[in-house]
Amino acid sequence: MSSRTAEGPQEHDVTIDGRSVRVRDAGDPDGAPIVYFHGTPGSRLDVGFGDGAATQAGVRVISFDRPGYGRSSPAAYDLESVARDALQIATDLGVDRFAALGWSGGGPFALATAAYGGDRVSAVGVAGGLAPPQEMPGGTDAFTPEDQRALSYLPDDPSGAALAFREANQGTLQLLLSARNDDADARWIDWMWGQTDPTVVADPALRTALRTVLDEGLRQGPTGVCWDNVAWGGPWGFALTEVRARAHLWYGEDDQMVPPANGRWLAAQLPQAALTSYADEGHLTPMRHWAEMMRALTA
């Protein structure tokens, strides 16, 4: 099953439809494989903090940058195309069956991979991930009128939707880029998660990991962020009933970025779902429960 024998994380580029996709291969090269989908914004480095735990647990973690993130070529994409990329990457690495895991904005991509991958996906995990906003009651309440206008381009003009989203959110996107380039103390980490995830942001190693993930994910600018919002903000293109793999859902009850109502709704829609809620935790649950999540997905 494994094509990797070297110790330590390995990185390489895979060519898919003429695009270069940067792949990271970490943990135990002979271990049970998990294909990981990063957040919005994020990168293949998202769960690098857990490399040692993965090796110890006998788990192989394969992650990759979506188009326009990190070191992957920019391109238009949707949930299905990223799922197809993941399946192709797994094939190229000699991996037949695997678990899929998405954190935050990566959650919808993990679910899509389970839907399109069929029996190749043994289990799927979502940590603080969105439910389909167009389907979940109240799912679009947080959308601004400008965001609604951007998504009105779908499904016919996804490129127009991505451009409209970028224009509507120039201020927020510029703040993200400014945090990447100018905030040497990474104070944005405290602003975003200081109240909901204090034990995580107080850990120097995890704080460095968060900074590294953002720096790498936004090295090409905010294009990937815009396409993520297009991919999961509009119609998903598949039904949750098509996700036949067992699903594990993890949510912090204090999460202000993706409220736990998303997890409760997903748990009610997915054919096989187990929901775990963490009291007094927010959006950074994988940084406290990584070993637990790996065990559940590879059991």
Side-chain angles (χ1 to χ4, degrees):
M1 174 179 288
S2 172
S3 64
R4 181 169 71 86
T5 57
E7 294 185 1
Q10 305 293 306
E11 292 201 359
H12 65 281
D13 295 317
V14 173
T15 300
I16 302 177
D17 298 329
R19 295 177 286 109
S20 179
V21 180
R22 177 60 62 91
V23 177
R24 186 177 192 268
D25 194 353
D28 181 352
D30 297 313
I34 294 175
V35 175
Y36 172 79
F37 299 83
H38 65 73
T40 306
S43 72
R44 68 194 183 283
L45 306 179
D46 266 20
V47 291
F49 64 86
D51 287 349
T55 301
Q56 185 175 14
V59 174
R60 181 182 186 184
V61 181
I62 300 163
S63 58
F64 63 99
D65 294 327
R66 290 191 289 278
Y69 280 106
R71 297 174 189 270
S72 289
S73 303
Y77 62 87
D78 57 17
L79 296 182
E80 180 178 359
S81 68
V82 171
R84 302 294 182 194
D85 284 357
L87 292 165
Q88 183 60 56
I89 290 166
T91 297
D92 288 352
L93 293 178
V95 174
D96 181 20
R97 297 190 79 225
F98 58 88
L101 170 62
W103 183 4
S104 191
F109 296 99
L111 290 169
T113 302
Y116 292 111
D119 290 341
R120 289 193 66 184
V121 179
S122 57
V124 59
V126 176
L130 286 166
Q134 307 293 339
E135 298 180 38
M136 187 182 80
T140 62
D141 289 352
F143 289 4
T144 66
E146 291 78 11
D147 290 339
Q148 295 277 15
R149 175 182 171 275
L151 294 174
S152 72
Y153 285 86
L154 299 175
D156 297 330
D157 185 9
S159 294
L163 178 60
F165 181 84
R166 183 167 187 155
E167 293 174 344
N169 293 275
Q170 284 285 1
T172 300
L173 295 172
Q174 190 56 49
L175 280 174
L176 284 172
L177 295 177
S178 296
R180 176 185 185 273
N181 295 321
D182 300 330
D183 188 0
D185 296 325
R187 290 167 295 174
W188 57 272
I189 293 174
D190 299 298
W191 301 335
M192 293 179 70
W193 299 301
Q195 294 297 314
T196 59
D197 297 274
T199 59
V200 173
V201 302
D203 184 311
L206 295 180
R207 192 180 183 91
T208 297
L210 288 167
R211 172 67 185 269
T212 301
V213 164
L214 184 77
D215 284 357
E216 178 64 12
L218 294 176
R219 65 166 41 246
Q220 298 184 64
T223 300
V225 176
C226 298
W227 276 102
D228 270 5
N229 280 268
V230 171
W232 40 247
W236 279 20
F238 66 92
L240 290 173
T241 52
E242 297 176 63
V243 178
R244 307 308 302 178
R246 56 189 171 87
H248 296 271
L249 312 172
W250 297 281
Y251 288 77
E253 286 296 328
D254 292 340
D255 193 340
Q256 297 176 5
M257 301 186 74
V258 181
N262 287 267
R264 291 190 288 270
W265 191 86
L266 284 173
Q269 307 302 316
L270 290 162
Q272 302 181 68
L275 173 63
T276 301
S277 298
Y278 300 106
D280 302 319
E281 294 189 39
H283 197 61
L284 305 182
T285 53
M287 289 183 144
R288 294 190 64 184
H289 303 282
W290 182 234
E292 171 188 341
M293 293 176 180
M294 289 190 294
R295 283 195 301 270
L297 290 171
T298 59

